[in-house]
């Protein structure tokens, strides 16, 4: 059983739990809001609020201090906020709950522009979607396709690293630890990996599912992709389902009920987008940079990377290139069977979760600290 409470009420709940003989095995879900001076172009210099979710055993929270196995921060990808990606309220599909139940103090971060973190005002204008995406909002929301009011970047990879840095430092102080481990997905690869490359003394280990990687990508900040004609993106339920279905490569790869739970949580994370048209998930367009061959060749942080055999968003070959280019001597590449880009929401999710747990605890998977593994075949 999970209890969702504000961090401000944690102490009262723990005292009450202790009084009634709580055995400490229950999971608590706590909300933190971390203030940051934003470096996102759309609100640069302004105070912003970063939403951080914590999942932790009640007994660990009651004792205070660091968890027995350390602190983990989950970092989301290009579109889906972390609270949705990693804490799905369906069966045993919460990656956060899995690690918390094993003794980690687990957190997730929603970057500026995502989930319950600050959304820059430019995101409230549907004209900032690409023109082809605007069509679904005509005529109920806008009379016709329109010119973007904010044609330049709303947030950037650099501002994402700033958000991560502020939250990492908040967690280090809160839990009195020197380092945290990062777990990420998709564009969370350059987000978490890029941050770790620049702050190696603050990151213990990395786990990334389907890390976006371009060995010849730009080293410095890049503008919006040519022809993007919009600074944010929309994803409808139809888009979400079609993108997933094109990556199905084996029978019963995912449960429709799991997909429904994810989409329901997605709309709940974006009340404004949920009211636009049939309901969409909004996200800033954030081009990747600063995570190429020159950068990863110097990295020494232990790095576990996982690719789904049927991933059509981040090709397994790209993840193999990251493995080949990475400087760390502690690195493992996992080929996960019957899995897509959305492996954490699919039938082999427990294999993924277990591998991440082994890596975060011991720096090994199936006794291996360097090399390639196949799971689920």
């Amino acid at each position: 059983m999970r209890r969702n409470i504000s961090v401000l009420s944690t102490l009262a709940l723990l005292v009450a739990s202790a009084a009634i003989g709580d055995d400490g095995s229950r999971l608590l879900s706590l909300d933190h809001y971390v203030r940051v001076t934003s470096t996102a172009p759309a609100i640069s210099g302004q105070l912003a609020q970063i939403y951080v979710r914590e999942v932790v055993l009640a007994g660990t929270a009651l004792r205070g201090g660091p968890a027995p196995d350390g602190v983990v921060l989950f970092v989301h990808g290009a579109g889906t906020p972390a609270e949705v990606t990693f804490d799905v309220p369906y069966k045993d599909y919460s990656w956060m709950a899995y690690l918390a139940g094993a003794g980690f103090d687990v957190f997730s971060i929603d970057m500026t522009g995502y989930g319950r973190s600050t959304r820059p005002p430019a995101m409230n204008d549907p004209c900032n979607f690409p023109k082809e995406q605007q069509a679904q909002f005509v005529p109920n929301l806008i009379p016709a396709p329109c010119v973007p009011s904010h044609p330049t970047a709303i947030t950037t990879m650099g501002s994402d690293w700033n958000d991560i840095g502020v939250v990492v430092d908040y967690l280090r102080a809160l839990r009195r630890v020197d380092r945290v481990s990062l777990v990420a997905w998709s564009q969370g690869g350059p987000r978490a990996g890029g941050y770790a490359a620049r702050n190696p003394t603050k990151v213990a280990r990395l786990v990334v599912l389907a890390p976006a990687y371009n060995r010849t990508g730009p080293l410095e900040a890049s503008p919006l992709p040519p022809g993007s004609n919009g600074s944010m993106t929309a994803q409808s339920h139809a888009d979400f389902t079609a993108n997933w279905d094109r990556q199905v490569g084996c029978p019963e790869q995912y449960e429709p009920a799991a997909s429904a739970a994810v989409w329901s949580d997605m709309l709940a994370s974006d009340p404004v987008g949920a009211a636009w048209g049939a309901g969409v998930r909004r996200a800033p367009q954030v081009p990747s940079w600063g995570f190429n061959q020159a950068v990863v060749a110097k990295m020494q942080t232990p790095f576990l990377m996982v690719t789904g055999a049927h991933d059509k968003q981040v090709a397994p070959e790209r993840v193999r290139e990251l493995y080949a280019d990475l400087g760390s001597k502690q690195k493992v590449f996992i080929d996960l069977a019957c899995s897509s880009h959305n492996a954490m929401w699919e039938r082999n999710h427990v294999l993924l979760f277990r591998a991440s747990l082994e890596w975060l605890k011991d720096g090994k998977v199936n006794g291996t600290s360097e090399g390639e593994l196949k799971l689920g075949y």
Side-chain angles (χ1 to χ4, degrees), residues 27-353:
L27 289 177
L28 300 179
S29 182
L30 312 175
D31 297 332
H32 302 250
Y33 290 91
V34 180
R35 298 179 72 183
V36 56
T37 300
S38 183
T39 60
I43 53 171
S44 182
Q46 299 178 32
L47 280 178
Q49 191 166 254
I50 303 301
Y51 173 63
V52 176
R53 175 174 293 182
E54 178 182 11
V55 179
V56 64
L57 288 169
T60 299
L62 182 61
R63 287 192 299 272
D69 289 303
V71 175
V72 175
L73 177 64
F74 279 85
V75 179
H76 61 75
T80 307
E83 61 183 283
V84 178
T85 303
F86 305 113
D87 198 24
V88 178
Y90 179 74
K91 293 185 177 179
D92 61 350
Y93 280 61
S94 170
W95 199 343
M96 293 180 70
Y98 184 93
L99 293 181
F104 287 92
D105 197 351
V106 182
F107 298 82
S108 66
I109 173 176
D110 286 350
M111 307 295 168
T112 298
Y114 294 82
R116 286 192 265 172
S117 292
T118 295
R119 303 255 189 173
M123 295 189 69
N124 293 327
D125 182 2
C127 293
N128 290 320
F129 289 127
K131 281 192 170 58
E132 62 273 14
Q133 292 187 348
Q134 293 179 22
Q136 64 189 298
F137 306 116
V138 177
N140 293 330
L141 192 62
I142 52 177
C146 42
V147 175
S149 62
H150 190 93
T152 56
I154 293 174
T155 66
T156 68
M157 189 58 63
S159 67
D160 288 344
W161 290 334
N162 183 67
D163 289 351
I164 294 172
V166 170
V167 170
V168 166
D169 286 345
Y170 170 81
L171 298 181
R172 292 170 65 233
L174 181 72
R175 294 293 175 250
R176 301 191 296 279
V177 295
D178 293 327
R179 300 184 182 205
V180 304
S181 289
L182 302 178
V183 179
W185 174 49
S186 194
Q187 197 177 29
R191 283 174 167 147
Y195 173 80
R198 289 156 178 79
N199 300 272
T201 62
K202 297 181 181 181
V203 179
R205 294 190 173 105
L206 283 163
V207 175
V208 187
L209 168 65
Y213 178 65
N214 181 355
R215 58 178 21 160
T216 62
L219 183 60
E220 302 298 333
S222 56
L224 290 174
S228 63
N229 68 50
S231 52
M232 65 176 180
T233 63
Q235 185 180 57
S236 67
H237 189 204
D239 295 335
F240 173 74
T241 303
N243 185 49
W244 199 341
D245 284 348
R246 73 186 178 94
Q247 302 180 69
V248 171
C250 65
E252 300 179 346
Q253 185 170 314
Y254 77 88
E255 296 181 44
S259 175
V262 173
W263 184 252
S264 177
D265 237 25
M266 195 96 80
L267 291 186
S269 76
D270 187 359
V272 173
W276 286 3
V280 297
R281 182 270 296 141
R282 302 168 299 153
Q285 284 215 54
V286 185
S288 291
W289 59 272
F291 191 64
N292 58 15
Q293 187 175 38
V295 173
V296 305
K298 299 175 183 177
M299 291 183 67
Q300 297 300 317
T301 305
F303 201 134
L304 171 65
M305 58 200 78
V306 182
T307 184
H310 307 298
D311 193 334
K312 289 183 171 59
Q313 289 179 251
V314 174
E317 293 74 19
R318 286 291 185 93
V319 185
R320 287 185 184 279
E321 289 177 355
L322 173 59
Y323 178 83
D325 294 344
L326 188 68
S328 177
K329 298 305 180 187
Q330 276 188 278
K331 57 180 181 179
V332 169
F333 171 97
I334 291 178
D335 175 0
L336 187 63
C338 194
S339 299
S340 74
H341 196 67
N342 301 335
M344 65 283 181
W345 305 327
E346 296 179 331
R347 67 186 247 188
N348 278 338
H349 64 282
V350 174
L351 295 178
L352 168 66
F353 295 177

